[in-house]
Amino acid sequence: MQRYKVLIVDDEPEARELLQHYMEHLPDCELVGCCKNGVEALQIINKHQIDLLFLDIQMPGVSGVELAKSIPASVKIIFTTAHREYAVEGFELMAVDYLLKPISLDRFLKAAYRFIGNQPQESESNLDLPITDKREFIFVRADRKMIKVALSEIKYVESIQDYLKIHTANKSLVTRETMAQLQQQLPEREFLRCHRSFLVNLRHIDSYTHEQITIERKSIPISRSYKEQILEKLQSV
């Protein structure tokens, strides 16, 4: 079995750690190293035959785009960035894919499979990736960094205009991630969408009625569009 050599390049330690963790789910790939800037990446590329780069676009010094223009065309690139506006420039360089941070495991695997050439045939919303349900934490962008959050500590998530407020056992985090993006990272068997503005962790529910869920004295509404699905799930526990 061919093993592809992969290099991660990102100036954020949390982002490198997240991608390194995701790499454990790719048996066809070998992680050669993790670099915090373009200079380090070039040194490794010159020493090893790298097949794929997970490359952050916005980095101090040599940017991801500048690095992409200076390496052999045989090295394929999956760009990663927190800024959607860089997508066009990334694809102009014939990138394999473009991942917008925060990156979910499902989205990471789709990009990797696209490179490997074994992209699953299922639709994006129905990919069978049981591995997601085994995760113990996610990374959330807040306070200008990627913060590790244990899934077991998330009580509920609240949408407030353009932001999400993630309520955990010890603190609350505010992020600009959308509810749909966050929900994609969470195991469906544990996290329930009960309202357009609320997502709850099943294990933290103290009580419920047909109209609301209670988590530590916080009353969370159940909307009509989610009621049948939520009640069926709760009654089957």
Side-chain angles (χ1 to χ4, degrees):
M1 179 180 69
Q2 180 177 0
R3 284 175 61 81
Y4 302 98
K5 295 186 181 298
V6 179
L7 182 64
I8 294 170
V9 188
D10 198 303
D11 64 314
E12 297 180 352
E14 295 86 358
R16 295 196 300 272
E17 182 181 350
L18 177 64
L19 293 179
Q20 188 171 359
H21 170 69
Y22 285 174
M23 283 292 302
E24 296 174 3
H25 305 306
L26 294 176
D28 293 333
C29 297
E30 174 189 349
L31 181 60
V32 175
C34 293
C35 304
K36 61 179 179 292
N37 57 56
V39 175
E40 288 184 3
L42 280 173
Q43 292 174 348
I44 293 179
I45 292 170
N46 290 334
K47 291 181 180 178
H48 301 274
Q49 186 176 343
I50 301 299
D51 298 301
L52 175 66
L53 282 183
F54 283 95
L55 179 60
D56 186 22
I57 290 181
Q58 193 174 32
M59 297 185 295
V62 179
S63 72
V65 171
E66 291 170 334
L67 177 62
K69 292 177 180 178
S70 66
I71 61 177
S74 59
V75 181
K76 302 305 178 184
I77 298 171
I78 295 175
F79 279 115
T80 65
T81 184
H83 304 281
R84 190 183 299 274
E85 61 268 23
Y86 291 122
V88 174
E89 189 172 10
F91 280 122
E92 285 177 351
L93 292 169
M94 302 300 289
V96 173
D97 208 337
Y98 174 93
L99 300 178
L100 186 66
K101 298 177 181 178
I103 302 167
S104 70
L105 176 60
D106 290 0
R107 188 66 184 88
F108 172 88
L109 291 175
K110 289 187 188 78
Y113 288 141
R114 180 173 294 174
F115 163 73
I116 295 171
N118 293 320
Q119 179 71 17
Q121 296 302 308
E122 289 86 357
S123 66
E124 184 166 318
S125 60
N126 293 320
L127 273 176
D128 182 16
L129 293 171
I131 197 167
T132 306
D133 283 352
K134 298 178 182 178
R135 296 178 59 195
E136 296 180 355
F137 62 88
I138 59 173
F139 280 89
V140 175
R141 177 174 289 277
D143 299 326
R144 299 185 179 181
K145 56 187 175 183
M146 302 297 289
I147 299 176
K148 182 189 285 187
V149 181
L151 297 185
S152 61
E153 293 187 355
I154 298 176
K155 295 179 180 179
Y156 64 95
V157 180
E158 182 179 4
S159 176
I160 305 173
Q161 295 183 344
D162 296 331
Y163 297 87
L164 291 185
K165 192 171 186 179
I166 302 173
H167 300 267
T168 73
N170 302 311
K171 59 186 175 182
S172 294
L173 296 173
V174 176
T175 178
R176 293 206 67 170
E177 189 172 355
T178 67
M179 189 71 85
Q181 288 174 327
L182 181 64
Q183 195 170 5
Q184 187 182 25
Q185 301 182 67
L186 301 173
E188 293 181 6
R189 65 182 183 184
E190 296 177 30
F191 290 86
L192 308 176
R193 187 81 174 268
C194 63
H195 188 277
R196 171 177 145 181
S197 300
F198 288 94
L199 181 71
V200 299
N201 188 339
L202 182 63
R203 71 179 71 187
H204 286 287
I205 294 176
D206 295 319
S207 64
Y208 70 91
T209 67
H210 284 207
E211 287 75 38
Q212 66 182 29
I213 288 170
T214 302
I215 298 178
E216 290 190 353
R217 299 186 296 278
K218 170 68 176 180
S219 295
I220 299 171
I222 299 177
S223 66
R224 280 186 293 180
S225 57
Y226 289 98
K227 180 176 291 187
E228 183 178 349
Q229 177 185 355
I230 286 294
L231 293 178
E232 181 181 349
K233 178 73 172 180
L234 290 173
Q235 290 167 3
S236 66
V237 174

